[in-house]
Structure formats: structure tokens, C-alpha cells
Amino acid sequence: MLPSRASDAPFLLLVDDDEVFRERLARAFRERGYEVVTAGSVDEALEIARQESPELAVVDLRMPGRSGLELVRELHAMDASTRILVLTGYGSIATAVEAVRLGALNYVPKPADVDDLLVALARGLGDPSPQVAEDVQAPSLARAEWEHIQRVLADCGGNISEAARRLGLHRRSLQRKLQKYPPAQ
């Protein structure tokens, strides 16, 4: 059950399965004047959103059970005015594109703090932000390869055999590449 809202503070729904990280972010948002409700799963977040639609949602991509992308889709379907940021430690261009296509405003890789999220929100809304660094570095070759593999895999609907065929790789080679952590930028 949601607490009754008495203030005009922006209502934020924060969804992440990592309780310590979720509560740390929630505290930081509250210190900046947001009214925050947290959830540890997609189903819990949907229950909260059905009671009162959030103005802003920060959604982790990977959670046990249903994906954060499913939550983005359902939150956007419930209320298209909800501004949604996707937060993940497993970022790729393919998932960023998919998140935005489903209704997310922006995509933020972990580790991220509340200031990173507020900058991403400002960028997604098209607001100029003096905090945004303009020196964008090109990704490393390994990172570009990993992102390309993720995009092809997403285009194939997660079918590893089809993705391997399109990439010109043996299926087992592709599986080994997918087991590695994403390379640093």
C-alpha cells in the first residue's frame, strides 16, 4: 500500500533487485526533494504503479523473473507521460535502443549515482545540462564488437544459432563470447 501523498514533490518509482543499491539511491533522491517508492521486482513495481502512476521511474534492466524491459513497456502503456530511465550493469546498444523504443527516456549504465540519473533525465528531456561532459570517447574495439554481437543477438530474438550464422561465427564461439563480462569503454 502506498503512503498518501501530501507534497508536491515529484513521485519517483525506483525498481532494482539489489536492495542495498536501491535504498542508497532512494535516500539520495529523497535528499534532493523526490518522493520515492521502491520495488524489488517487476510485479511489485506494477502493483505500485496501478495504485498511483509515477511521474518518473528508474528501472533496472536485469532482475530475477521478468525483465526491466517488460516493466518499461507496461509502465509506458499505463501512462505514457511517465518518464522512464533504464539502469543496468549489462548495457549494450541493442538493449538501449530497445528500451527507448519501448518508452524509456534514456539509458544509464551502472555504476551510477543519483547525479548521473538526473543528468540522463535532463538529456532525455532535451534540457541543456552544464554537468554533462562534452568529451565523448570512442568505445574500444572489444566494446564495439560486444555491442555489435548484442545487437545481432537482439535482432535474432535471442536465438544464438541464428546470431552465430549472421556473425559468421561457430555457435560455441559465440556462446563463449557471451559468457564474458562486457569490456570497459
Side-chain angles (χ1 to χ4, degrees):
M1 186 63 76
L2 284 177
S4 62
R5 293 192 57 211
S7 72
D8 289 333
F11 177 45
L12 181 138
L13 173 60
L14 180 58
V15 188
D16 196 305
D17 59 319
D18 181 343
E19 184 179 359
V20 173
F21 179 74
R22 181 178 69 232
E23 294 307 318
R24 182 179 61 85
L25 267 183
R27 185 174 50 251
F29 271 111
R30 286 182 187 112
E31 289 170 357
R32 285 166 177 79
Y34 288 82
E35 184 174 330
V36 182
V37 176
T38 63
S41 69
V42 171
D43 294 330
E44 186 180 351
L46 287 172
E47 183 61 35
I48 292 167
R50 284 185 193 104
Q51 292 177 36
E52 182 174 356
S53 181
E55 295 169 53
L56 176 66
V58 176
V59 177
D60 186 24
L61 182 67
R62 284 204 181 170
M63 291 181 279
R66 298 171 61 194
S67 162
L69 288 177
E70 291 178 57
L71 180 57
V72 169
R73 179 186 307 113
E74 293 193 36
L75 285 174
H76 187 71
M78 281 183 196
D79 184 353
S81 70
T82 299
R83 295 169 294 168
I84 306 168
L85 296 177
V86 173
L87 180 63
T88 186
Y90 302 95
S92 73
I93 290 173
T95 52
V97 168
E98 182 68 8
V100 171
R101 188 183 70 74
L102 292 172
L105 193 60
N106 212 332
Y107 190 89
V108 182
K110 284 181 181 177
D113 61 19
V114 73
D115 293 326
D116 296 329
L117 295 171
L118 292 173
V119 167
L121 177 62
R123 275 186 178 166
L125 293 172
D127 295 341
S129 175
Q131 301 169 332
V132 178
E134 294 299 325
D135 58 339
V136 177
Q137 294 180 336
S140 67
L141 183 58
R143 179 68 183 201
E145 177 195 39
W146 187 84
E147 289 179 356
H148 178 66
I149 287 171
Q150 294 299 316
R151 174 67 187 164
V152 171
L153 188 59
D155 289 346
C156 295
N159 184 323
I160 291 177
S161 296
E162 177 62 19
R165 186 188 65 71
R166 289 185 187 182
L167 290 166
L169 294 172
H170 189 275
R171 182 182 52 79
R172 299 281 293 158
S173 297
L174 178 56
Q175 286 175 319
R176 279 192 292 278
K177 286 180 180 281
L178 291 171
Q179 289 175 345
K180 296 179 183 176
Y181 287 106
Q185 297 283 355

